[in-house]
Structures are given as C-alpha cells and as structure tokens.
Amino acid sequence: MALPDSARVLKGVLAKPAFASISATAVSNFEAKNDDRNIECTRTGDTVVASLHQAIHRKPQLVVGAFLAVMMACVLGLVAWKASSAREATLVRAQEDLGNLARSLARHATTTLKAPDVAMTGLADLLKYQSPLPERFNPHLVATTRSLPQIREIGVLNAEGNWRYSSFPRLPDHNNSDRAYFAQHRDNPSPKMLLSGPIISRTSGQPSIILSKRISTPTGEFAGVVVAAIDCDYFSNFYSSFGVGAQGGISLLSTDGTMFARWPVVESGRKIADTALFQKRTSESPSGSYKITSPFDGLTKYIAYELDAEYAVVVTVARSEDEVLANWRTDLISDAIVAALLVAIIVAMAALLRSQFSFRTGLERSLREREARLRLLADNIADIVIVMDRKGYLRYVSPSVVAVLGMTENDFLGRSCLDVVHDDDREKVMAASREVKHASASSSVRFRIRRGDGAVAWLEAHFKLAEQSLGGELEIVGTLRDITKQKRLEDELSSANLRLAQLATTDGLTRLANRRSFDAFMREAYVKHDTLSVLLIDIDQFKGFNDALGHQAGDGCLQRIAEVIGSATANTGGLSARYGGEEFAVILPGVNEGRALKVADAIRMMVARLQIHHPRSPRTYVTISVGVAEKGDATTDELALTRDADIALYHAKEQGRDCSVASSSLVSSRLEMPSLVPSLPDLEGAR
C-alpha cells in the first residue's frame, strides 16, 4: 500500500534519532489502520463542519440585517441625541446672552438718566433760594447740555408754565402748563425726577423723553419745574450698534407699557401694557427671559428683560427663534451629511461581512482537510510531536501532550508557538527557529511552558524541516521532551555552586564580607571613584573581654557589632567587611572624609548603645575606635589609603579609645608620618 503524505511525514519523523527506540511494528500497524482512521476522521470532521455551518451560516442575511439595524440605529440615535442636546444648549446660551445684554442696557439707561437727575437736582436746589439773571443762568444751562450729550435741551418753567430759563439761544414763548408732567409736579410735592413721554417737543418737533423735577419755595410751595429733553433717537441709535439679528429688537419702556425707544424704530408712544411682560413677568421678577410671540411682527422670539426700579423703566432684548437656531441648523446639516457617510460605510461593511461568510466557509473547508492530514501523525510517541508552518503557527500537536502537559491538542492548534512559550524564553525560541533554513539544518532550544494545572514545565525542543510537505509549503517538525526534573537538578547544582562562591567571599561568623572581598572591592573602588573614604574599626580591649568572658561571648560580641557596622552600608554602594580578628573595615565610595567621620561617629555611638558588658574596660561596656582616611592627591594606591586609615586608628587608640580620628587631622604630614609613628606591625602590637 502506498503511504499517504501524512504517513510519509510520520515515518520520516520516526526515523530520526529522537525516535530510534520505536519499533517498526508500530509503523506497520499505523499503516494498516490508516484507511479506517481516515474514514472515521472524515465522518467526524463532516459532522463538526456541518454543525458549524448550521449554527453560523444557516441565515447569514439575518446576521447582516441585524448588524445593519443595530449600527444604523446607533448612528441615527447619536445624531438625534446630539441635535437635541445642541438645540437645547443653543437656546440656553442665547437666553443667557440676551439676559446679559438686557442687564447691560438697563445699566446704560440708568446711567443715562442718573447724570441729568443729579444736574437737575442741583438746579432745583439753586432756584429754591435764588433767582439768577437770565443772561447769567442761561449760559450755565447751555454748558450743562454740552457736558451731558444725552440731553438735547434743558430749561426752567415758572409756576404758571411759562419759560423762565432755557438752553436755547432764544427763550421759548409758549406755555407748558398743559403738559401732564407740569400738572403732576404742581399737584405733588415729591422732589423725585419724573420720566414721561414720549411727546413731540414744541421747540424741536422731535419725539422726546421728558425729564422733569419740581421747584419748591423755601416754604414748600410750588415754584415751577426744571425740564430736560432726551431725543428718542438717542437710545434707538445706541441700540442699533448691537447685533440682535434682522428680526430682533431692543426696546426701552416705562413700567406702564409705554414705549420710549426701540430698535428697529417703530411708532413712539406705543403701549404694550396688555402683554405678559407687564401683566405677569415684571411683577414676579425684576429680570428674566422667556419665549413670546412678538406684538410687533408676530414672530416667535426669545425675549429677556431687566427692570430698573429707580427710574421705572424696562429694557427688553429679543431675538427670533429662527435666527437663534440658524447656526444650529447649519451644524445639523453637517451632522446629517456625516451620518449619511457613516451609513454608507456601514452598508459597505455589511456587504463585506456577507462576503466574509462565504470566504470563511471555504477557509474552514481547507482547515478541515489540513487537520485531517495532521491527525495521521503517531499518537503513541512518548515525546510531543508538533508540526508548524514557517510563521510558527501550530498545525498539529500529538495526543501525548495530554500526558506530558495535562492539556489537549485544541489548546495549541492554530496558535503561534510563541503564544504558549514563557515570555522570558520567546527570544531563544525565535532564534532557534531562524536557524532552520534548509532540510539538513536543525536546532535545539530549552524553554518554559505552563502546564494545564498551572505549574511551569521545562521542555527541550529539536526543530527540523519536514522532508515532505503538502502543496509545496514548508513545514517544521519539532519534538518536545519534558526535562523539568533534569532542569531542577541542574538548578540545585548551580545554587550549591553559588552558595560555595558566597561562602568564599563572606566571613562565616559575622556574615560580613571577608578580607578577600575587601581587597577586591577596594582595588575596584580606588580606580573607579575620585572621592573615596575608608574606615578601620577596632574593638577596644577585646583581648581582655575574651579573657574575662570567654570566646563564645567574644563571638557574640563580634556578631552584634558586625550587625551595626553592616547597617552603615546597607542599600548603598559601600562595603562592610571583617578586616581580621576584632578589626572591621568600611569602604564608602563617593563620600568625603567629613561625611565619613560622621558615619564613623554614628557607628561608634550605636555600638556604645548596645551596652555590651565589658568587665575589664574602664567604661564597663564595649566601645570601638575608628580611623578615617580619604583618597587624596598624595595617596599613591589603595594600600596607602588603608595605611592612612590604620595610622588614624592608632591615634584614636592613643587618644584614649572610644573615638574617631580623621587622617587629615593629624599634625604631621603624610610624608613625615613614618618617622613619627611606629611601623604597621608595631601598631598592631600597640593595640
């Protein structure tokens, strides 16, 4: 019987050294059962694919239709929500702007009326007690009108209504006793300024707003009226400078609904007292905004008003709803265009989705055929056999993965081999796969993978190009062997070797670095650092301590003091070491002598605080002496630096012990030091 392609691949795999132990009988049995297994795999595959097609591809139109409906609903809903929110925000912002403008214009009206009020009050007070000559008083009125540009004219009426003074060049000869404001002041003793009009001025013929104030005699009798006139056009022209739209308007009204001025200009004196503004709004609040139907042009508008109680005037600002929402409508058109584009894209995506269903059907058929071929590989091999394409995607995993890793083939199939490899080992696996470039090449690599139970396993992989492949596509065959136990033994051996290396560089009693580590660190630090300080520490009268309390107590004393000294370089770049016997050394890279001396004093005081009882010490407790030296220009090498610290330690002993001495504090220079102090061996004896 001719072997199928998958069987030939399997036979090639079994012929490799990794499978030399498998008998030829297994191969024969595999070939004999191949036809039955092909039939069984085909039936199983057909059942699975049929179920898949029935579940996913039974009615793709419904899936596409549902996708279209959901996406279009989302787009249209978003556009509607945005349009509604933007419209509401536009109306709120417009009402706020109208309210602010009405408030500002009301302040302008108050300021416009306040200045004439003050001036007319002064004139009324003057005329109450004096009667100046017209040729002197009339120029004063002219000057007043010039200083108040809003006032067109100002004059004084006597008690009969005849003109007494005037800012006009010629005194008017008509009588104004028939005016309503004149009768109001004559019959009402209130000194408050009265705002009336608009009326047609008898001197200018222009619609005017009349400002009037009563003149009383010292006894309180009526003596006439001070009258000033403001052209209605003064306010209308001012209001025209504000952009409220072609259909908007700004009005100045009295509290009884009489219109003083408006832009755009309408008939002066028109009354709108029957509107909601005067019937309800002003009585409820002195300011506000609302939506109305304009009494002037019948358009729907948003209006804001502001009431000035001092002069009983109301300023209104109105804008038509169409103009307020003009920009919103423009934005709505833009949003609609964008929504249309999105809908078009969604429709295109739906068409693409439908085509993908057809493509996926063909792809699944191809994957089913490939899976059937790969499952022809041996299921009885102890090691794991994998087949993957040149991109690293797993096409087959032997059933032995269940016994080795506690996982099924489906946990790996279709995934990249790097997806199942430990993150720290991916580069190694990638490098090994790149070495497999031709049929005679092979590569090996060790990496970690997580088992089904969560434990980490070590695998050893061997990769090689398959001798035969379907469709001319190159495939890589790999064999994976569990080496977790072997790796554990190797790690234990490495740990033991590391422990031995640590013991070789650490003092067994104090757990500090030993003399060998000190010398090596000192050589490296001396070359690397321009600033370097060394501390040599000696336990004072330690021989007497041992003689009195025994060597076990001495060892305990050394351990406690070593713990204090070791804390000085913990988490720093320095080194604490046992120098020999009861001597210790500290290397401080990057630390000058001044700071090193502070470290020495800190260690010395911490040792003193231990209060270790010393029966033969004058202080009754264990103390230490410290010598400090810093690398300088005169320091020739690391041995000289250590020697300087040792000489400083000698002087600390000479000064009574329990102190720190810096090398630079010694009186003699370093060049003279050998002649003034004993040699190093003698120093040892002096301690």
Side-chain angles (χ1 to χ4, degrees):
M1 178 188 298
L3 290 174
D5 291 338
S6 299
R8 287 198 297 272
V9 172
L10 174 62
K11 190 170 183 180
V13 172
L14 297 177
K16 299 187 186 308
F19 303 98
S21 60
I22 299 177
S23 64
T25 304
V27 176
S28 300
N29 292 337
F30 174 80
E31 294 174 351
K33 296 177 181 179
N34 186 58
D35 292 339
D36 293 339
R37 183 168 297 179
N38 282 341
I39 296 173
E40 181 180 356
C41 290
T42 301
R43 290 175 179 174
T44 303
D46 289 342
T47 302
V48 173
V49 173
S51 301
L52 186 63
H53 276 279
Q54 184 179 5
I56 298 179
H57 302 293
R58 181 172 54 186
K59 293 183 179 180
Q61 294 84 356
L62 293 179
V63 177
V64 175
F67 171 78
L68 268 177
V70 171
M71 295 301 296
M72 293 183 68
C74 291
V75 171
L76 296 178
L78 179 62
V79 171
W81 172 81
K82 183 178 181 297
S84 176
S85 300
R87 186 179 188 277
E88 183 67 23
T90 299
L91 294 177
V92 171
R93 184 168 58 252
Q95 289 181 313
E96 291 177 352
D97 293 342
L98 292 175
N100 292 334
L101 181 56
R103 194 172 300 109
S104 299
L105 294 178
R107 298 296 179 270
H108 168 263
T110 301
T111 304
T112 301
L113 299 174
K114 175 67 73 175
D117 188 6
V118 173
M120 293 169 65
T121 299
L123 295 176
D125 291 342
L126 175 65
L127 296 174
K128 181 177 182 179
Y129 299 101
Q130 298 182 23
S131 181
L133 296 174
E135 57 269 20
R136 298 184 61 184
F137 195 69
N138 287 340
H140 175 70
L141 297 180
V142 173
T144 301
T145 59
R146 289 175 179 172
S147 63
L148 300 173
Q150 66 268 40
I151 301 298
R152 186 189 72 244
E153 60 178 297
I154 188 170
V156 179
L157 301 174
N158 60 20
E160 289 76 27
N162 295 318
W163 289 92
R164 183 179 174 188
Y165 305 102
S166 176
S167 61
F168 275 115
R170 186 175 63 83
L171 191 67
D173 55 2
H174 55 267
N175 185 280
N176 279 12
S177 61
D178 59 335
R179 296 295 195 186
Y181 65 82
F182 186 87
Q184 175 71 17
H185 287 304
R186 182 185 60 200
D187 301 335
N188 188 351
S190 173
K192 186 176 180 181
M193 186 181 77
L194 179 64
L195 185 68
S196 58
I199 61 176
I200 302 300
S201 174
R202 290 170 176 167
T203 57
S204 65
Q206 299 294 324
S208 304
I209 301 172
I210 303 301
L211 313 179
S212 58
K213 185 175 284 286
R214 174 189 171 99
I215 303 174
S216 301
T217 64
T219 60
E221 298 178 356
F222 179 66
V225 179
V226 179
V227 181
I230 300 176
D231 286 336
C232 294
D233 290 343
Y234 172 81
F235 287 101
S236 298
N237 293 336
F238 178 72
Y239 294 157
S240 66
S241 62
F242 294 93
V244 291
Q247 299 173 344
I250 303 175
S251 302
L252 177 66
L253 308 105
S254 66
T255 53
D256 63 357
T258 302
M259 182 172 296
F260 288 132
R262 186 180 187 275
W263 177 262
V265 178
V266 297
E267 179 185 355
S268 299
R270 182 172 178 177
K271 288 186 175 292
I272 55 172
D274 57 344
T275 61
L277 175 63
F278 297 99
Q279 293 293 323
K280 178 181 179 182
R281 298 288 180 173
T282 54
S283 60
E284 293 178 350
S285 173
S287 62
S289 61
Y290 59 101
K291 185 178 180 180
I292 65 166
T293 299
S294 174
F296 300 104
D297 51 21
L299 297 176
T300 300
K301 297 182 179 181
Y302 289 92
I303 182 173
Y305 69 91
E306 187 76 20
L307 170 64
D308 182 279
E310 182 177 1
Y311 293 106
V313 294
V314 179
V315 175
T316 65
V317 181
R319 287 194 67 189
S320 69
E321 186 176 39
D322 289 340
E323 292 179 338
V324 168
L325 296 176
N327 291 334
W328 171 79
R329 291 191 180 94
T330 302
D331 294 340
L332 181 60
I333 294 174
S334 300
D335 292 343
I337 294 174
V338 172
L341 292 175
L342 289 177
V343 169
I345 293 173
I346 292 171
V347 172
M349 290 176 61
L352 179 62
L353 182 63
R354 178 164 182 163
S355 67
Q356 287 298 312
F357 277 116
S358 300
F359 173 76
R360 185 173 180 179
T361 301
L363 181 62
E364 288 176 350
R365 185 182 302 109
S366 175
L367 292 177
R368 183 177 69 250
E369 294 173 356
R370 181 177 292 273
E371 180 181 4
R373 183 202 65 184
L374 293 177
R375 287 189 176 277
L376 295 177
L377 294 175
D379 295 341
N380 59 342
I381 300 175
D383 291 342
I384 303 172
V385 179
I386 64 172
V387 178
M388 57 185 178
D389 60 19
R390 291 293 294 176
K391 295 182 179 180
Y393 286 94
L394 296 168
R395 300 307 184 196
Y396 173 80
V397 179
S398 65
S400 57
V401 70
V402 178
V404 177
L405 298 178
M407 304 170 73
T408 65
E409 300 100 309
N410 292 331
D411 294 330
F412 297 90
L413 292 178
R415 299 174 63 184
S416 170
C417 63
L418 297 179
D419 291 343
V420 298
V421 175
H422 193 280
D423 293 343
D424 296 338
D425 297 334
R426 289 183 178 178
E427 289 296 331
K428 294 191 299 183
V429 175
M430 292 176 63
S433 64
R434 285 194 290 266
E435 294 178 3
V436 183
K437 298 180 179 180
H438 47 81
S440 61
S442 63
S443 64
S444 301
V445 64
R446 291 183 173 187
F447 60 89
R448 286 164 289 181
I449 189 172
R450 194 168 296 278
R451 299 179 188 269
D453 58 3
V456 176
W458 276 93
L459 299 179
E460 184 177 54
H462 299 276
F463 298 113
K464 198 175 188 306
L465 285 179
E467 294 180 356
Q468 297 180 7
S469 59
L470 294 177
E473 181 182 356
L474 293 178
E475 293 180 335
I476 299 175
V477 177
T479 58
L480 310 179
R481 177 167 298 175
D482 187 358
I483 59 168
T484 304
K485 294 182 179 180
Q486 176 184 343
K487 190 68 172 60
R488 186 182 301 115
L489 294 175
E490 292 175 354
D491 291 341
E492 291 175 356
L493 180 60
S494 298
S495 178
N497 292 334
L498 179 61
R499 179 60 180 164
L500 290 175
Q502 291 177 345
L503 292 175
T505 59
T506 304
D507 180 67
L509 177 63
T510 63
R511 302 300 180 184
L512 296 179
N514 58 19
R515 178 63 178 271
R516 178 184 299 174
S517 299
F518 170 83
D519 292 339
F521 189 89
M522 185 67 176
R523 284 192 298 270
E524 182 179 353
Y526 187 87
V527 174
K528 185 176 180 181
H529 297 278
D530 294 332
T531 302
L532 179 67
S533 295
V534 177
L535 279 61
L536 282 184
I537 304 169
D538 186 71
I539 302 177
D540 297 328
Q541 299 171 328
F542 187 69
K543 184 177 183 303
F545 184 92
N546 275 339
D547 292 343
L549 300 178
H551 288 283
Q552 288 186 348
D555 290 345
C557 176
L558 289 173
Q559 290 173 340
R560 294 182 66 185
I561 293 176
E563 183 177 355
V564 172
I565 295 173
S567 65
T569 57
N571 301 322
T572 69
L575 177 74
S576 298
R578 186 179 183 187
Y579 196 69
E582 70 273 19
E583 286 189 334
F584 298 89
V586 176
I587 303 174
L588 301 174
V591 177
N592 59 28
E593 188 181 70
R595 291 172 56 196
L597 189 61
K598 293 180 180 180
V599 174
D601 287 336
I603 295 174
R604 185 173 53 80
M605 288 186 289
M606 291 173 66
V607 170
R609 288 196 190 102
L610 295 176
Q611 291 292 306
I612 302 173
H613 178 62
H614 193 329
R616 295 188 181 181
S617 171
R619 294 175 178 82
T620 71
Y621 58 86
V622 173
T623 60
I624 62 173
S625 299
V626 186
V628 181
E630 179 186 2
K631 176 183 176 182
D633 295 337
T635 308
T636 58
D637 53 23
E638 68 275 10
L639 297 179
L641 180 58
T642 306
R643 178 177 175 277
D644 291 342
D646 200 22
I647 293 173
L649 175 60
Y650 170 79
H651 282 272
K653 293 288 188 177
E654 288 293 311
Q655 293 178 15
R657 297 182 174 86
D658 191 18
C659 64
S660 303
V661 174
S663 177
S664 63
S665 66
L666 301 179
V667 177
S668 300
S669 67
R670 296 187 186 278
L671 294 176
E672 298 171 347
M673 190 67 69
S675 63
L676 296 178
V677 299
S679 62
L680 287 179
D682 295 336
L683 294 179
E684 295 294 334
R687 294 173 194 157

